[in-house]
Amino acid sequence: MSEPKQRANSSRPTSRRSFLRSGLALGGAVGAGAFAGRAAAEMPDAKNLPPNVPEWSQSLGDGVVSRPYGRPSKFEADVVRRDVEWLTASRQSSVSFTPLHRLEGIITPNGLGFERHHGGIAEIDPAEHRLMIHGLVEKPLMLTLEDVKRFPRVNRIAFLECAANSGMEWKGAQLNGCQFTHGMIHCVMYTGVPLKRLLEEAGLKTNAKWLLPEGADASAMTRSVPIEKALDDAIVAYAMNGEALYPEHGYPLRLVLPGWQGNMWVKWLRRIKVGDEPWHTREETSKYTALLPDGQARRFTWAMDAKSIITDPSPQAPLHRKGFTVLSGLAWSGRGAIRSVDVSLDGGRNWRAARLDGPVLDKALTRFYYEFDWNGDPLLLQSRAVDETGYVQPTKAALRQHRGLNSIYHNNGIQTWHVLPNGEIENVEVA
Ligand code: MTE
């Protein structure tokens, strides 16, 4: 991957090298005064502090419905998706990243989930949209959105991780922030109809073994899905977090395949063809495969292996002061629930058990915490997830030993954050 360009916007990623460059350029100012500088920048206007009556208490605020669709406080304006300009040639076939370092709990708000489009966002009039189910079925179906909503519903919280998440880190530490290293993931509650129910309605023929879902966007995304997954926990969803899917996430219909790589979760779902063998589409031959050191291609790697990331502190969320520190992170597995997460402060020499908090659900994000006292010494922060199958998240070295360096996809190696004495944090690797 080429050297990233320096940017004006400091919340954008820089390479590790350019981070070091800028750190050196600022020299002693950063080294000696990061805490002091930050405190000065955050110094509030004393007129609004006790014992004074703050300005917002001195007049009436806006009335109800002044914001018919609510939005976050203007003071949270930097909590947004971001992209990496040099990564792709166009924004239509590109990716944006979830601001993991600023989120709490396990649910991603609908406006903040990363997006990955191959042909831009399709803006679909639901009245003119149909879901066709055909091929090896007894009764081909042509369903309207209203038809789909007349089937029994299910609600399910699931993470969606792009197979290319952390892909830019295969050859070494590159992007300075968990938004960019791990932000191709979101976790929402979907509402929809089990795909199994729709297939029962169509009546599968005995030789039905594979499905080909297709999107209605300009890329006409298609992937081969084995029938076992379709009959297990796949959902045709029309809502996320209680409201209709957002256009960027596939409005009005998307396929949900809990635990499996995001590329297969076809958005703007318009067609499901039933067949007896896989189609070997572009997305499962030239893309979303990995060339192993022995020249073999690793294909049909559907489930996302267990992985975790410390979201705070992290390069975009530096440490502000010494003393009691809450370390927070996320863990997930495409093969079940998270059983435990360990945290290391010294680059993997010693591990301590993190505390899981909130719901620990099958194939969903799980929040973990580790509280400790920071005395200002440098730290090498790591987290390691273990899922209910007993699988342990590997080191990056172990992953590379097995898969070589030609990969992009399925990088679930342990991430290291280097905390400097001034509280700044950088993306590094330990031997
Ligand atoms: N479906 C269609 N129709 N078109 C697409 O470009 N991108 C896929 C998948 N489904 C895509 C699609 C990829 S690569 C991923 S990772 C996920 O959607 C991203 O889902 P999101 O944009 O909701 O995060």
Side-chain angles (χ1 to χ4, degrees):
M1 196 140 295
S2 59
E3 174 74 4
K5 294 180 198 105
Q6 269 305 94
R7 293 160 180 281
N9 182 347
S10 62
S11 58
R12 299 279 181 137
T14 55
S15 71
R16 173 165 144 60
R17 208 175 314 149
S18 60
F19 180 97
L20 289 174
R21 252 201 320 267
S22 57
L24 285 175
L26 292 170
V30 166
F35 297 108
R38 209 171 279 120
E42 285 169 9
M43 192 65 79
D45 192 338
K47 74 178 193 303
N48 287 322
L49 294 180
N52 300 324
V53 177
E55 60 195 19
W56 41 84
S57 302
Q58 296 175 25
S59 61
L60 293 175
D62 291 342
V64 295
V65 207
S66 55
R67 297 157 204 196
Y69 194 100
R71 57 183 181 271
S73 159
K74 62 185 177 186
F75 299 103
E76 301 293 321
D78 61 333
V79 186
V80 288
R81 298 168 178 144
R82 294 190 172 85
D83 66 341
V84 176
E85 273 167 30
W86 50 260
L87 202 57
T88 54
S90 86
R91 281 218 157 115
Q92 281 72 31
S93 181
S94 192
V95 61
S96 66
F97 299 85
T98 308
L100 296 177
H101 59 296
R102 296 294 298 273
L103 298 183
E104 303 287 347
I106 63 166
I107 297 295
T108 315
N110 282 345
L112 291 177
F114 87 98
E115 320 144 272
R116 173 76 177 100
H117 322 307
H118 292 68
I121 301 168
E123 288 281 356
I124 295 179
D125 178 347
E128 294 173 22
H129 187 73
R130 298 289 180 273
L131 173 61
M132 181 163 85
I133 301 182
H134 67 131
L136 297 176
V137 294
E138 303 295 344
K139 183 179 69 167
L141 302 177
M142 184 71 83
L143 303 170
T144 65
L145 183 60
E146 291 313 309
D147 293 336
V148 174
K149 288 184 174 174
R150 294 190 66 218
F151 284 88
R153 289 168 205 193
V154 289
N155 291 290
R156 165 139 203 186
I157 296 175
F159 77 81
L160 181 167
E161 184 182 19
C162 179
N165 198 19
S166 315
M168 284 94 82
E169 307 289 307
W170 251 119
K171 294 191 171 74
Q174 176 157 232
L175 297 172
N176 235 8
C178 68
Q179 179 166 20
F180 306 104
T181 57
H182 288 73
M184 284 194 224
I185 191 164
H186 50 63
C187 182
V188 308
M189 177 182 274
Y190 295 97
T191 307
V193 50
L195 178 53
K196 180 180 180 192
R197 191 67 198 78
L198 295 176
L199 295 175
E200 281 169 359
E201 184 72 14
L204 289 175
K205 294 200 168 160
T206 50
N207 54 342
K209 295 277 182 283
W210 290 83
L211 305 183
L212 186 78
E214 181 186 72
D217 55 327
S219 80
M221 171 70 66
T222 40
R223 284 294 306 256
S224 304
V225 179
I227 200 82
E228 293 78 14
K229 183 68 173 174
L231 299 179
D232 178 16
D233 57 1
I235 300 168
V236 172
Y238 39 82
M240 56 195 285
N241 292 338
E243 58 184 339
L245 293 173
Y246 277 19
E248 52 270 48
H249 298 298
Y251 179 87
L253 291 174
R254 97 169 296 165
L255 186 59
V256 168
L257 298 175
W260 283 23
Q261 58 177 228
N263 179 257
M264 304 176 78
W265 298 43
V266 171
K267 302 189 275 191
W268 310 292
L269 183 65
R270 68 180 289 267
R271 184 168 77 97
I272 298 175
K273 184 172 184 180
V274 183
D276 56 0
E277 56 185 4
W279 280 263
H280 304 288
T281 70
R282 170 188 179 275
E283 302 294 307
E284 50 210 25
T285 51
S286 86
K287 305 292 174 194
Y288 299 95
T289 59
L291 189 59
L292 295 172
D294 66 1
Q296 297 280 314
R298 200 167 170 261
R299 296 187 61 208
F300 294 127
T301 47
W302 300 311
M304 302 306 294
D305 285 316
K307 188 167 170 180
S308 65
I309 180 68
I310 295 169
T311 53
D312 180 12
S314 63
Q316 297 158 288
L319 281 173
H320 286 211
R321 55 177 75 116
K322 296 175 192 169
F324 187 73
T325 301
V326 176
L327 178 154
S328 171
L330 291 164
W332 61 94
S333 169
R335 299 185 194 275
I338 287 296
R339 180 192 287 168
S340 61
V341 178
D342 302 313
V343 166
S344 175
L345 307 183
D346 55 11
R349 284 199 185 88
N350 297 287
W351 293 95
R352 304 126 205 252
R355 179 170 63 84
L356 308 187
D357 190 77
V360 178
L361 301 172
D362 183 50
K363 299 169 192 159
L365 292 187
T366 297
R367 177 62 64 178
F368 68 86
Y369 296 106
Y370 180 75
E371 289 97 7
F372 68 104
D373 273 305
W374 184 48
N375 63 9
D377 285 349
L379 303 172
L380 290 169
L381 302 179
Q382 296 187 339
S383 64
R384 180 177 67 185
V386 182
D387 72 15
E388 64 179 345
T389 71
Y391 174 93
V392 182
Q393 183 182 358
T395 61
K396 289 189 179 178
L399 205 60
R400 287 183 190 127
Q401 195 169 13
H402 185 238
R403 299 232 210 108
L405 284 176
N406 288 323
S407 209
I408 302 173
Y409 306 108
H410 293 271
N411 179 1
N412 67 326
I414 291 172
Q415 173 67 42
T416 311
W417 301 134
H418 182 197
V419 180
L420 304 173
N422 66 9
E424 301 287 347
I425 300 177
E426 59 174 6
N427 177 7
V428 299
E429 288 201 10
V430 289

